[in-house]
Amino acid sequence: MDHLSLDRRSENMRAIKGRDTRPEIAVRKLLFSMGYRYRLHAARMPGKPDLVFPARKKVIFVHGCFWHGHDCRRGNWPRSNQEYWIPKISRNIARDRKNESALAEMGWTVSIVWECELRDQAGLAARLREYLGVAGA
Ligand SMILES: [Zn+2]
């Protein structure tokens, strides 16, 4: 049992399954300004990728460092309520891996944009340009 109320818990679930989170919107804006066009939240694809580039057969997930257990400072295991968070975040990580390999088997290339990458927009833009190829192509 965890110590969170049901209310808190459903709030957390929304955040995990969240659509239109702040990092996600920031990535969309960045890519749009770079000239890329994409589809959002492909409901029938494994893990419902946040951005889909059908012609390129590429998808992007935008992951919050905490929720998806990124190996960075923001992704550190929480110090409180560990009996609640560690299994939950571990499940998220396992689910992410499963979705990524399912997509790969379907012939899609997957890239993850981590929330912390947004601190270096120029670096992120360069990485995404390399990943996606020329915009508008
Ligand atoms: Zn991170």
Side-chain angles (χ1 to χ4, degrees), residues 57-81:
K57 272 275 200 179
K58 287 178 179 173
V59 303
I60 292 175
F61 287 98
V62 182
H63 282 347
C65 296
F66 177 78
W67 299 104
H68 296 269
H70 192 210
D71 184 19
C72 72
R73 207 150 38 117
R74 279 193 209 195
N76 277 346
W77 294 123
R79 291 215 190 89
S80 62
N81 241 341

